[in-house]
């Protein structure tokens, strides 16, 4: 049995469609989301096909029941006692080992390190284990976090389409990456507070704003003289 852990409904939905398209037995998969994911708790209360899970306190049950755990953007850290006992795979929205961790495409827009998708075995460090498959994506100068993110999701599903069976059968080979770099949630929060006195090239300022522009999310902000919090997004359009 395979446990699919996801806190991202869009990806979960695409994964279920992939299972269907590949005619894989639906009963092979169980689905869970994180116990502290309020939106999914409210939506799936009482559902019989998906349940909340607190991984740290349910390691023994998971080990007993499953041969494979796949994280599709699960926000919990997998404890060492789980990854030692069950094969755990992560589908990650970044091109490891570059910008491992939080919102990789945001940091790739700013620091120009490669972006893309990675499927890898989980080890004790964040987005770090042996790589099963990767697909880079190109960031254009008119992209925002939002447009890059959707290219990355497509790359993730391109990889899953090709490699899901070999992951299920444990018949893939892996490559060990170098250490790369890691960004945490707090690094993203720091980027969001704009310093209006910051000097630099205009191109760097545009990069910062497009890295923080993602649909309706209120990310980049500054405070005006009256202490009001003012949110900033940028709009970029390539001429036809
Ligand atoms: O699920 P996910 O796409 O991915 C995140 C991490 O980036 C990833 O490294 C980790 N493995 C996974 C468990 O969690 O994140 P999300 O659905 O919270 O957000 C998707 C995108 O939306 C994100 O890349 C940037 C954007 N976003 C999201 C929030 C909540 C913002 O720009 N601002 C926000 O406040």
């Amino acid at each position: 049995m395979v446990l699919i852990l996801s806190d991202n409904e869009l990806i979960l939905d695409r994964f279920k469609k992939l299972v269907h398209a590949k005619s894989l037995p639906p009963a092979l998969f169980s689905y869970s989301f994180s116990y502290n994911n309020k939106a999914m708790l409210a939506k799936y209360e009482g559902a019989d096909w998906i349940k909340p899970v607190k991984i740290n306190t349910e390691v023994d049950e998971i080990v007993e029941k499953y041969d494979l755990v796949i994280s599709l953007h699960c926000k919990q850290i997998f404890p060492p006692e789980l990854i030692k006992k069950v094969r755990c795979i992560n589908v990650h929205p970044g091109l490891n080992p570059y910008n491992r961790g939080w919102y990789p495409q945001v940091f790739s827009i700013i620091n120009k390190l490669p972006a893309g998708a990675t499927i890898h075995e989980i080890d004790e460090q964040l987005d770090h284990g042996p790589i099963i498959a990767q697909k880079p994506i190109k960031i254009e100068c008119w992209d925002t976090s939002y447009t890059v993110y959707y290219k990355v999701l497509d790359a993730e599903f391109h990889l899953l389409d090709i490699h899901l069976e070999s992951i299920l059968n444990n018949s893939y080979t892996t490559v060990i990456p170098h250490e790369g770099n890691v960004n945490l949630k707090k690094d993203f929060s720091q980027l969001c507070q704009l310093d209006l006195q910051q000097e630099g090239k205009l191109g760097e300022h545009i990069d910062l704003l497009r890295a923080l522009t993602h649909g309706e999310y209120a990310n980049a902000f500054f405070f005006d003289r009256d202490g009001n919090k003012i949110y900033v997004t940028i709009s970029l359009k390539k001429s036809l």
Side-chain angles (χ1 to χ4, degrees):
M1 282 281 288
V2 181
L3 177 61
I4 305 294
L5 292 174
S6 181
D7 289 305
N8 188 311
E9 291 204 61
L10 186 64
I11 293 162
L12 198 54
D13 190 49
R14 278 181 79 163
F15 183 80
K16 289 179 76 191
K17 286 185 176 134
L18 184 68
V19 167
H20 181 74
K22 285 178 170 291
S23 303
L24 293 167
L28 185 63
F29 301 95
S30 288
Y31 296 90
S32 281
F33 56 89
S34 295
Y35 66 102
N36 53 357
N37 183 330
K38 289 194 184 119
M40 290 180 82
L41 271 175
K43 182 163 175 183
Y44 296 116
E45 196 190 348
D48 56 2
W49 70 274
I50 190 164
K51 304 223 168 317
V53 67
K54 187 172 185 180
I55 301 176
N56 273 331
T57 59
E58 295 179 46
V59 169
D60 290 345
E61 290 90 323
I62 296 173
V63 169
E64 198 183 306
K65 209 164 159 199
Y66 300 102
D67 322 299
L68 173 64
V69 180
I70 302 180
S71 165
L72 298 177
H73 298 209
C74 169
K75 286 202 159 71
Q76 293 175 75
I77 302 282
F78 284 32
E81 59 272 29
L82 178 67
I83 57 182
K84 273 185 206 135
K85 291 180 182 160
V86 185
R87 192 160 53 94
C88 295
I89 304 284
N90 187 25
V91 178
H92 174 63
L95 199 77
N96 290 359
Y98 305 107
N99 290 324
R100 293 159 42 210
W102 209 240
Y103 301 168
Q105 81 284 354
V106 167
F107 294 91
S108 286
I109 291 172
I110 295 167
N111 64 20
K112 313 295 176 203
L113 290 172
T118 302
I119 302 181
H120 67 95
E121 290 185 342
I122 296 178
D123 68 5
E124 292 189 17
Q125 292 181 58
L126 193 60
D127 306 323
H128 178 270
I131 291 173
I132 298 165
Q134 289 195 292
K135 184 171 166 62
I137 60 99
K138 190 172 177 210
I139 298 180
E140 307 286 0
C141 66
W142 60 88
D143 272 322
T144 61
S145 166
Y146 183 86
T147 54
V148 178
Y149 183 70
Y150 282 88
K151 291 189 225 183
V152 171
L153 293 194
D154 286 346
E156 288 184 329
F157 277 87
H158 179 84
L159 294 177
L160 279 170
D161 194 19
I162 296 171
H163 297 282
L164 184 55
E165 283 85 351
S166 71
I167 290 168
L168 297 175
N169 301 332
N170 196 5
S171 61
Y172 52 81
T173 53
T174 57
V175 172
I176 308 287
H178 60 85
E179 289 303 304
N181 67 307
V182 184
N183 306 294
L184 303 177
K185 197 174 181 178
K186 67 175 168 38
D187 299 313
F188 175 76
S189 303
Q190 268 171 21
L191 285 178
C192 288
Q193 175 142 20
L194 300 177
D195 173 2
L196 296 184
Q197 307 309 317
Q198 189 181 321
E199 292 183 1
K201 297 191 174 121
L202 183 55
E204 290 167 354
H205 293 322
I206 291 176
D207 284 345
L208 176 60
L209 293 181
R210 69 196 184 95
L212 296 173
T213 295
H214 194 112
E216 297 300 311
Y217 284 119
N219 290 331
F221 66 90
F222 63 88
F223 290 102
D224 73 4
R225 279 196 213 130
D226 300 323
N228 300 304
K229 196 173 188 181
I230 314 295
Y231 287 102
V232 184
T233 59
I234 193 170
S235 170
L236 299 156
K237 202 169 179 181
K238 185 184 172 214
S239 78
L240 295 173

